[in-house]
Amino acid sequence: MEAPTKTQPLVTVRVFNRQFGADPRGARLARRVGLHKLHTWGVPYLSDASESAALIIGELTANAATHGRVPGRNFELRLSHLPGDPETPGLVRIEVSDTRGECRPPGPGEITTPEDSSDSGRGLLIVDALADRWAVLDRRPGKTVRTELDLLY
């Protein structure tokens, strides 16, 4: 058996992790800081990936500040970036965690469309439409909503 002759390219996985106040101001700040971090990692502002990430971060952090709020506790935004190349797509992973475990959102395939007169219930529909993959994960305490966006070059 021979060893493969093709060498693996060096890959740097970038990770950003920060807690924000569980209120509307914290959700807005998380979105702005997250987009800035992605831009510094090579996902330019106003690109398709950046626009999708902005909507996903905005929806998930607003949900964490509204539905996952526990007094005295923050929510957490975690971004991971795995750069790609012309042969392999890159990846952006967006994770938003809060400490309220009993208020678990529906996962992929479980979302129902709200009635036309409803003022809420559309955020996860946006996440479902934009993310290439997503899931709701248990965490102690609370839950994490993880999404992934493929970066095509």
Side-chain angles (χ1 to χ4, degrees):
M1 178 183 247
E2 293 182 32
T5 57
K6 185 177 178 184
T7 60
Q8 287 286 97
L10 295 176
V11 176
T12 301
V13 177
R14 297 174 180 102
V15 177
F16 169 80
N17 195 34
R18 182 170 170 195
Q19 291 187 358
F20 295 89
D23 56 31
R25 184 174 175 222
R28 285 190 306 271
L29 181 60
R31 180 178 173 270
R32 292 186 67 161
V33 169
L35 289 179
H36 176 73
K37 185 54 70 176
L38 291 175
H39 180 75
T40 63
W41 290 343
V43 180
Y45 290 123
L46 301 178
S47 66
D48 288 344
S50 177
E51 292 293 298
S52 294
L55 289 168
I56 290 170
I57 293 170
E59 289 299 332
L60 295 181
T61 57
N63 284 352
T66 303
H67 306 295
R69 186 168 195 270
V70 174
R73 298 283 181 110
N74 296 328
F75 70 84
E76 183 178 294
L77 172 66
R78 180 181 177 92
L79 301 174
S80 304
H81 176 249
L82 178 67
D85 58 42
E87 295 177 16
T88 310
L91 175 81
V92 169
R93 179 176 291 149
I94 302 164
E95 297 172 284
V96 176
S97 303
D98 64 57
T99 55
R100 190 164 177 198
E102 74 276 3
C103 188
R104 187 181 170 94
E110 300 173 352
I111 301 172
T112 58
T113 305
E115 294 185 23
D116 291 338
S117 60
S118 178
D119 290 338
S120 63
R122 292 173 180 80
L124 287 178
L125 289 171
I126 293 170
V127 171
D128 192 54
L130 294 175
D132 292 300
R133 290 163 299 285
W134 71 283
V136 180
L137 308 170
D138 290 327
R139 170 188 153 147
R140 300 231 185 251
K143 64 192 169 295
T144 298
V145 179
R146 173 186 290 167
T147 65
E148 293 181 346
L149 294 170
D150 293 331
L151 300 175
L152 305 176
Y153 296 94

